[in-house]
Amino acid sequence: MEILISLIYLYCVYLNGSKVKSFFLEFKKKNSVQLEILLSISFGFVIFQFFASLISIFNQPNLYKFLTIVFLFLSVISSLDQILENLKFIIRHSKKLIYVGISFHKFNLILFLEFSILLVYFLLSFIPISSGDSLDYHLGVAIQYLNFTSYDPTWYTSLLAMNGEKLIASFISVEAIPLITLIQYLGLINVYFLVKEAIFLLNSKYYPIKNKYFGYILQTLPLVLVSSPVFIFLTLTAKPQLFPTSLLVITSFLFLNIVQGNLKFSKKNLFFLFFLIFTATTSKYSLVICGSINIIALLIYYSLDLKSNQKEFNFKINQKKT
C-alpha cells in the first residue's frame, strides 16, 4: 500500500513539475523524454518542499496530512488533460513494444555497468533506514512535526533540521514512506544523467575530443561517479543531501544550456534558477558555498547579457536615425 501511495504522490509531483517547467523554461529544441521526466519530477519536489515549509509556519500537526492530500488532489484535478495525454502515450508505446518488440543495440560494457549499479542502488533504497542520524533527527524531527506543537530544547541535534525534514514529514503524513529514500535516489539519477548530458553538450558543441583514448576516459566519468561508495550511504539514508545537491547540478546544467543558446534567458527563468539554489541551500547549509558560486556566475552572465542587448538596441536606433 505504501508503494502505491508513493507512486500516486510521485505522479502528482510530476504533474506539478511539468507545469512549472513549461512556465519558467523555454527550450529552443526538444529534449529527450528522460530529461523532461527528471526535470519535471525534480521541479515538482521543489514546489512540494516549499509548500511543506509554508505548512510548518502554522505549527499545526494536523495540517500536514490534510493540506498534502488537498494539494495532491488539486494536482490531479488541474492536470486532467495531461493525464489523458500520458495515458495515450503509454498505450501507444505499449502497443509498439508488443508488435515491434524490443530493439537490442550493440553491447556496451560501460552502459551495462552503469545500469547495473543504478539498479542495485534502486533496490537498496527500499531497505529500511538504519543510519544513526536519520533515526535521530532526520526522521525524528519529521515525526515531531506531525505529533507535537512544541520542541524539546534539550534535543540539540533537532536544531540541525531544515526544510528537507519538512518534506519528509509530508511523506510520512500520507504514508508514502518509500519516497524518503527514493527522493535521494532521484538525486543520484539527476547527477548521473545531467553529467552525462553536459559531457555530450561540451563535446559536441565547444570542445570536440579528437583523442579517442581521452574520449573513452571522459565517457567513463559517469560510471566512476555512480560507483563511488559514498552514494551507498547517501541513498540508504533519510539525510536530505543527494537531492539538494542535484538541484545545484540542475542549475549548472540549465546555465550551460543558456550559454549554449538552447535555453532562452530572461528574468523569469533567472528567478527560477535562484529559487532552485535557495531550495538547495535551505535544505543543507553545507551547499551554501556552491550555491553562492552559481548565483555569482548567473549574475555576471545576466549583466553581460544586458550590456550586449543594450549595445544591440543602441546600434539599431543609430541605424534608423541615419
Side-chain angles (χ1 to χ4, degrees), residues 49 53 137-138 141 145 158-168 240 278-286 288:
Q49 181 167 317
S53 302
Y137 73 94
H138 292 304
V141 171
Y145 288 148
S158 67
L159 301 177
L160 302 174
M162 298 177 66
N163 287 342
E165 282 73 21
K166 294 168 185 175
L167 183 60
I168 292 175
F278 172 78
T279 303
T281 53
T282 54
S283 298
K284 209 70 181 172
Y285 279 146
S286 58
V288 169

Side-chain angles (χ1 to χ4, degrees), residues 244-259:
T245 302
S246 73
L247 294 181
L248 296 183
V249 177
I250 290 174
T251 305
S252 302
F253 176 76
L254 294 176
F255 181 60
L256 179 62
N257 276 269
I258 290 171
V259 174

Side-chain angles (χ1 to χ4, degrees), residues 80 83 93 98-99 110 169 172 205 207 217 264-265 275:
L80 292 176
I83 293 173
H93 282 73
I98 293 172
Y99 293 109
I110 294 177
I172 297 174
K205 179 88 175 181
Y207 309 107
I217 293 173
K264 186 179 178 181
F265 196 39
F275 184 69

Side-chain angles (χ1 to χ4, degrees), residues 19 24 57 64 77 109 133 167 178 183 194 196 279 283 299:
K19 287 183 178 180
F24 284 103
I57 296 175
Y64 274 94
I77 295 299
L109 179 61
D133 60 341
L167 183 60
I183 191 174
L194 293 176
K196 204 164 187 175
T279 303
S283 298
L299 289 175

Side-chain angles (χ1 to χ4, degrees), residues 67-83:
L67 292 181
T68 299
I69 293 174
V70 169
F71 200 64
L72 294 174
F73 179 74
L74 291 176
S75 301
V76 173
I77 295 299
S78 62
S79 306
L80 292 176
D81 294 338
Q82 186 175 352
I83 293 173

Side-chain angles (χ1 to χ4, degrees), residues 29-63:
K29 65 178 183 180
K30 192 175 181 181
N31 295 310
S32 63
V33 177
Q34 296 92 333
L35 181 60
E36 293 286 328
I37 293 174
L38 284 177
L39 291 179
S40 296
I41 294 176
S42 300
F43 296 160
F45 273 123
V46 168
I47 299 301
F48 267 74
Q49 181 167 317
F50 178 71
F51 177 72
S53 302
L54 292 179
I55 295 176
S56 66
I57 296 175
F58 299 100
N59 200 21
Q60 295 294 324
N62 295 329
L63 282 180

Side-chain angles (χ1 to χ4, degrees), residues 101-285:
I102 301 173
S103 58
F104 293 95
H105 301 279
K106 185 179 178 181
F107 179 76
N108 188 316
L109 179 61
I110 294 177
L111 287 177
F112 174 75
L113 290 174
E114 290 172 356
F115 176 77
S116 301
I117 292 172
L118 291 174
L119 179 61
V120 170
Y121 279 132
F122 175 73
L123 296 175
L124 288 175
S125 64
F126 289 95
I127 294 177
I129 298 169
S130 59
S131 62
D133 60 341
S134 295
L135 297 175
D136 176 27
Y137 73 94
H138 292 304
L139 293 176
V141 171
I143 294 172
Q144 180 179 257
Y145 288 148
L146 300 174
N147 293 281
F148 305 102
T149 57
S150 59
Y151 301 93
D152 183 2
T154 62
W155 186 9
Y156 176 74
T157 52
S158 67
L159 301 177
L160 302 174
M162 298 177 66
N163 287 342
E165 282 73 21
K166 294 168 185 175
L167 183 60
I168 292 175
S170 176
F171 296 156
I172 297 174
S173 68
V174 292
E175 298 184 8
I177 308 299
L179 286 180
I180 297 173
T181 49
L182 282 177
I183 191 174
Q184 304 310 317
Y185 177 75
L186 171 66
L188 175 62
I189 293 292
N190 282 340
V191 173
Y192 159 75
F193 191 80
L194 293 176
V195 167
K196 204 164 187 175
E197 286 282 316
I199 291 172
F200 174 76
L201 286 175
L202 290 172
N203 184 30
S204 61
K205 179 88 175 181
Y206 294 105
Y207 309 107
I209 299 171
K210 297 180 181 179
N211 189 318
K212 64 177 183 179
Y213 297 106
F214 183 70
Y216 291 149
I217 293 173
L218 199 60
Q219 287 177 5
T220 59
L221 182 60
L223 174 61
V224 173
L225 187 68
V226 298
S227 59
S228 177
V230 70
F231 287 121
I232 298 176
F233 167 72
L234 293 176
T235 307
L236 301 180
T237 182
K239 180 191 289 290
Q241 180 78 44
L242 270 180
F243 180 68
T245 302
S246 73
L247 294 181
L248 296 183
V249 177
I250 290 174
T251 305
S252 302
F253 176 76
L254 294 176
F255 181 60
L256 179 62
N257 276 269
I258 290 171
V259 174
Q260 190 189 16
N262 185 34
L263 180 62
K264 186 179 178 181
F265 196 39
S266 63
K267 291 181 180 179
K268 185 170 65 174
N269 53 28
L270 180 66
F271 166 78
F272 183 65
L273 292 176
F274 284 164
F275 184 69
L276 291 179
I277 296 171
F278 172 78
T279 303
T281 53
T282 54
S283 298
K284 209 70 181 172
Y285 279 146

